[in-house]
Amino acid sequence: MSVRRLADENVQPAAFAFSDENAAWAEATIRKYPEGRQQSAVIPLLMRAQDQEGWVTRAAIEKVADMLAMPLIRVLEVATFYTQFQLKPVGTNAHIQVCGTTPCMLRGAGDLINVCKKKINAKAHETNGDGTMSWEEVECLGACANAPMVMIFKDVYEDLTPERMEEIIDAFEAGRGSEIKPGPQIDRWLSAPEGGFTALTEEGEGALESDDTDATDEGAGSEEAISGAKGDRPPAVDQKPDDADDLTLMAGVGPKISGLLNDIGIYKFEQIAAWTPGECAWVNDSLKLGGRIERDEWVRQAGVLAKGGIEEYEKVFGRTAR
């Protein structure tokens, strides 16, 4: 077991305070716990302090202990036990966590670590010369089917090669990390087979129809279902416009669901892109979609397609619009 200690005093700030927004969040989080159990908020408060500062400082630990009326040693025990807490300064632009568990190691995690050593620092948990980048090896990050992979902040980057790892490091070091799309870095839909689907690909029994399986309940889209739906009915058009969009270009929308959307006056990507949470709830309920709208990010998909079409969609999502 490794020994985890706080950073040297010469890098520790003199004080810590949550921002106004984070302070309000912290107080609300503490109130979630029953009276006498508020100390259970120690992990979320430490994590929010790390999100704000980039790492967990001694002053932050002392602040959390004071807010929760906990002995300082108890908060120190938590902060030093859980390896998700960074106890020394990390890269200001990115701290890269390289998964080194068996599936990733077998698929080339060692090569990714070598790239980090070459481009950032030979030692883990040490920043580069500018203090903008750092890295470490961690245990399983849960994307074994897309090994090897890394996590940067709260996003994961999968199916990596050493060359792609170098490109990602260069982008984050230059302050352009937002330009790198999370997820698979190859032509792969989430954890589907490389190169596309290999089974159930025919119309009527394949991927297109499988996207409609949640909408097969009898009565979906009927007047009874619509009248009893929860939420707010989204704006609709009375008849199909001449420039109606092909809604099946969106992941999660097959011919059957597209038809149901048309039945309630939804024909354009821009209509879906403008849906509010209440309107999403209404469509989910009336068409019996089982949460598909949120799960497949219909609003985001529709917004990209409405704005930039298929080309922009492929840039944003890294996959071909269907």
Side-chain angles (χ1 to χ4, degrees):
M1 179 179 291
S2 62
V3 177
R4 286 165 47 83
R5 296 187 175 90
L6 301 187
D8 293 340
E9 289 300 324
N10 63 340
V11 299
Q12 294 284 356
F16 169 84
F18 280 115
S19 66
D20 292 342
E21 179 183 354
N22 285 339
W25 177 90
E27 293 297 336
T29 299
I30 294 171
R31 289 195 297 271
K32 292 179 181 179
Y33 295 92
E35 186 63 32
R37 300 290 183 179
Q38 291 87 347
Q39 294 180 0
S40 298
V42 62
I43 288 180
L45 262 62
L46 286 173
M47 186 56 68
R48 184 55 66 102
Q50 176 167 288
D51 290 343
Q52 177 178 305
E53 302 296 304
W55 60 293
V56 178
T57 66
R58 178 187 294 277
I61 292 172
E62 293 170 347
K63 177 66 174 179
V64 170
D66 181 64
M67 293 176 68
L68 299 178
M70 289 179 69
L72 177 59
I73 187 62
R74 294 283 305 281
V75 185
L76 279 167
E77 288 172 345
V78 173
T80 56
F81 179 81
Y82 291 103
T83 56
Q84 74 244 40
F85 296 122
Q86 303 297 329
L87 301 181
K88 60 190 302 184
V90 298
T92 54
N93 288 2
H95 177 69
I96 299 174
Q97 296 181 305
V98 184
C99 180
T101 309
T102 305
C104 281
M105 191 58 69
L106 291 174
R107 294 275 289 173
D111 294 331
L112 304 186
I113 290 173
N114 288 335
V115 171
C116 291
K117 288 181 177 180
K118 179 181 73 172
K119 297 189 69 70
I120 300 175
N121 195 300
K123 294 183 179 180
H125 300 284
E126 299 291 339
T127 61
N128 60 354
D130 296 330
T132 57
M133 305 290 293
S134 57
W135 71 278
E136 67 173 312
E137 180 183 347
V138 298
E139 293 299 314
C140 184
L141 290 173
C144 306
N146 298 59
M149 52 87 67
V150 304
M151 176 179 283
I152 303 176
F153 302 120
K154 291 182 171 65
D155 290 320
V156 295
Y157 302 83
E158 308 156 3
D159 294 305
L160 293 169
T161 62
E163 294 75 21
R164 184 55 176 162
M165 187 76 254
E166 292 197 18
E167 294 172 354
I168 290 174
I169 291 175
D170 289 342
F172 275 94
E173 188 171 6
R176 297 184 289 101
S178 61
E179 298 178 6
I180 305 296
K181 69 174 183 67
Q185 301 298 299
I186 61 174
D187 181 18
R188 181 207 290 265
W189 163 247
L190 300 180
S191 295
E194 293 184 32
F197 297 103
T198 59
L200 301 178
T201 58
E202 296 299 322
E203 179 75 19
E205 60 176 297
L208 293 179
E209 283 299 317
S210 69
D211 281 339
D212 285 341
T213 53
D214 286 346
T216 57
D217 291 355
E218 184 176 352
S222 66
E223 289 300 322
E224 293 80 3
I226 289 174
S227 62
K230 300 175 183 177
D232 305 310
R233 180 166 185 160
V237 296
D238 295 332
Q239 60 184 9
K240 184 176 181 179
D242 293 336
D243 60 345
D245 293 320
D246 179 5
L247 302 183
T248 65
L249 290 174
M250 295 168 51
V253 179
K256 186 178 298 181
I257 291 181
S258 177
L260 291 172
L261 289 171
N262 293 165
D263 289 343
I264 61 171
I266 306 299
Y267 293 94
K268 302 282 289 181
F269 294 130
E270 60 190 27
Q271 290 177 278
I272 300 173
W275 284 353
T276 66
E279 290 166 350
C280 290
W282 186 93
V283 178
N284 257 325
D285 193 43
S286 64
L287 301 188
K288 303 186 185 301
L289 297 177
R292 181 183 296 278
I293 294 174
E294 294 78 14
R295 185 172 67 247
D296 291 333
E297 298 185 295
W298 282 15
V299 173
R300 181 175 177 229
Q301 288 191 73
V304 172
L305 285 166
K307 179 181 179 181
I310 293 176
E311 183 177 350
E312 181 67 15
Y313 184 95
E314 293 177 354
K315 289 181 181 178
V316 172
F317 294 99
R319 62 177 183 264
T320 303
R322 268 199 294 106

